Amino acid sequence: MSKSSAFRASMALAVAITCLGGQRPLQAAANFYGVGARYHTTHSRYEDYPFRSGDISWLGGIEFHEGIGYWQLLLGYTPSVKNDPDSEQPEIDSILTPQLNLIIQDKGWLAGTGILSSYIKDEVESDWSDIYWQTIIGYQFKMQYFTLDITGVYAFDRWSNISDFRFNNLEFSALLKRRF
């Protein structure tokens, strides 16, 4: 084999390895859309938390999967909020809560964290809350056409307060998703 033929063969092999070997499988990346609900609790540690026990937020959103992790972009809508009878604050009419979560998945187990802010509309005015955080842990059930995520969610106002965790502050969420 001549030197130029060997060079061309090695270049062809390098190009083939780069083009074929470096490709990820088509199944690795996926997008999902989903709808669900989140059951809120009155938070004992986070005083400015706008939700009370028994409030329900309706969720809708999209997920961008890549490997074992994915970004989850959700919008929560709480059409009515139970008011604290001891508070002199105006009654809250509704709350919109956009959130961005980063979730890691191992088999069916889910764990992640997210950032949120709530747009609170009350009798007097409408305004955004300060940014707050949440941690998420749960399990994903796979069905033929859908997946169902059941998660426990813990909201907190500052990372330094995450160690103040109390089980009675834990909220629950269910999200029914479909791949597209």
Side-chain angles (χ1 to χ4, degrees):
M1 184 182 263
S2 72
K3 222 178 190 185
S4 64
S5 300
F7 177 75
R8 276 186 249 153
S10 63
M11 288 303 292
L13 182 61
V15 168
I17 289 172
T18 302
C19 293
L20 299 174
Q23 293 285 333
R24 66 175 193 261
L26 293 176
Q27 309 296 341
N31 296 327
F32 286 77
Y33 59 90
V35 294
R38 178 169 170 174
Y39 178 83
H40 296 280
T41 61
T42 302
H43 206 288
S44 64
R45 303 287 180 165
Y46 178 14
E47 293 180 13
D48 292 333
Y49 195 56
F51 303 101
R52 301 281 171 248
S53 291
D55 290 342
I56 300 214
S57 290
W58 303 105
L59 303 170
I62 188 167
E63 295 177 349
F64 305 99
H65 289 239
E66 182 69 40
I68 65 166
Y70 60 91
W71 288 102
Q72 183 182 65
L73 183 60
L74 294 176
L75 178 64
Y77 172 64
T78 312
S80 63
V81 177
K82 293 180 180 162
N83 293 301
D84 184 3
D86 298 332
S87 175
E88 295 179 15
Q89 302 274 345
E91 289 188 20
I92 296 173
D93 293 331
S94 63
I95 300 174
L96 284 172
T97 307
Q99 53 187 287
L100 177 65
N101 302 309
L102 178 59
I103 309 290
I104 304 297
Q105 182 175 2
D106 184 22
K107 299 181 182 161
W109 293 102
L110 307 170
T113 188
I115 186 169
L116 310 89
S117 182
S118 294
Y119 183 73
I120 304 166
K121 183 178 178 189
D122 61 31
E123 299 172 327
V124 178
E125 64 181 351
S126 299
D127 199 10
W128 287 96
S129 71
D130 291 336
I131 289 176
Y132 55 103
W133 310 91
Q134 64 186 5
T135 56
I136 303 161
I137 190 164
Y139 195 81
Q140 182 178 86
F141 298 93
K142 292 188 183 222
M143 297 173 264
Q144 185 173 359
Y145 298 108
F146 296 96
T147 59
L148 176 64
D149 292 357
I150 305 293
T151 57
V153 182
Y154 179 71
F156 54 97
D157 56 348
R158 286 184 298 254
W159 280 99
S160 60
N161 294 344
I162 195 168
S163 61
D164 294 338
F165 175 81
R166 300 286 181 265
F167 276 103
N168 62 338
N169 294 329
L170 198 60
E171 300 179 342
F172 299 96
S173 175
L175 194 63
L176 187 65
K177 306 183 303 191
R178 180 159 171 85
R179 183 179 182 160
F180 68 93

